[in-house]
Amino acid sequence: LRKAKKQRPPPAPELEDWVTEIDPEPVVSKVIESEMTDVDSVVSKFLAGRLCSEVQCKACAYKTQNREGFFTLSLPIPQRRPGQDVTLQDCFRLMEREETSVPWVCDKCKQSGAAKRIWVSSHPKVLIVHLERFGYHGGRKTKRDDTIMIPMRGLTRDDVPVPGEEGAGARSSVYDMVAWTEHLGSDAEGGHYIANCKHLDGHFYRFDDTRVTRAPDTSYVKSNTAYVLFYERRD
């Protein structure tokens, strides 16, 4: 799957320095994924997207940016409002919402306090969305069973280009669901998984171990078990 490249980026030392400067525990898998998205391969061609995070000092407005690649986009789940359903777009908005009180010391003016935001600067051909259902509450790992409205067709996402980035440009992408998985149970280390996949006949089928049933045709899925979503961009 891997294509030959004329030049390879310098490996270990630079990467190790970056990992140790940030907290190495949660960032290792992201570093590996980000490095892999830069490899010229069939996988990166279809699955690789780009994220940009920006931190701006509140005192002097100095900005720093960090760009990294992704294969899977993890989305937080917002708290449900009374009488309203949580939608997938709500999850995207929460991920992209600006944090206004970041404990960051500015490299320029040495003042503390900044705002941070993150956005997708380039969406992939196949968008894999991971819903963050598992987390820690009161020192224990728990699962969120919020019901989420998930579009089966016509999910619209806009690229937000990074100012000054070579080849950057605004693009609007429309995605249709091709598969999604469900997780049943409260334990992240176990539970039961069910796959829902689109067949060549245009219909979705639900694969629950040896039991295969046709899923109803609908524009939206309302689910409290949906875990990983697979979307394909319309070309």
Side-chain angles (χ1 to χ4, degrees), residues 1-101:
L1 295 179
R2 191 164 172 168
K3 301 178 183 177
K5 296 185 71 174
K6 293 183 179 180
Q7 295 182 348
R8 297 293 302 270
E14 182 179 341
L15 181 59
E16 284 183 1
D17 291 343
W18 185 60
V19 173
T20 52
E21 283 179 8
I22 311 173
D23 184 5
E25 180 76 19
V27 87
V28 170
S29 61
K30 289 187 177 181
V31 171
I32 295 173
E33 180 169 306
S34 183
E35 289 294 302
M36 288 297 294
T37 58
D38 292 330
V39 175
D40 186 12
S41 69
V42 174
V43 174
S44 60
K45 177 182 177 181
F46 288 97
L47 301 182
R50 301 293 292 179
L51 282 171
C52 182
S53 61
E54 180 181 88
V55 179
Q56 182 173 16
C57 177
K58 289 186 176 181
C60 69
Y62 174 71
K63 294 180 182 180
T64 63
Q65 290 181 342
N66 179 47
R67 301 170 182 85
E68 64 180 36
F70 70 87
F71 288 139
T72 303
L73 195 60
S74 294
L75 299 183
I77 301 174
Q79 292 294 331
R80 181 179 177 272
R81 297 180 295 273
Q84 295 185 4
D85 292 317
V86 173
T87 68
L88 187 61
Q89 291 289 18
D90 291 334
C91 299
F92 276 109
R93 280 190 284 268
L94 181 58
M95 180 198 73
E96 296 166 339
R97 186 180 65 183
E98 183 178 78
E99 299 177 50
T100 57
S101 299

Side-chain angles (χ1 to χ4, degrees), residues 155-172:
L155 171 66
T156 302
R157 296 291 302 155
D158 294 327
D159 290 348
V160 181
V162 179
E165 188 173 61
E166 184 179 352
R171 172 178 178 171
S172 184

Side-chain angles (χ1 to χ4, degrees), residues 135-156:
Y136 285 91
H137 180 72
R140 297 180 56 202
K141 197 166 189 178
T142 58
K143 181 185 177 183
R144 298 276 300 274
D145 60 355
D146 306 65
T147 297
I148 302 175
M149 292 284 291
I150 302 168
M152 300 294 288
R153 295 182 291 273
L155 171 66
T156 302

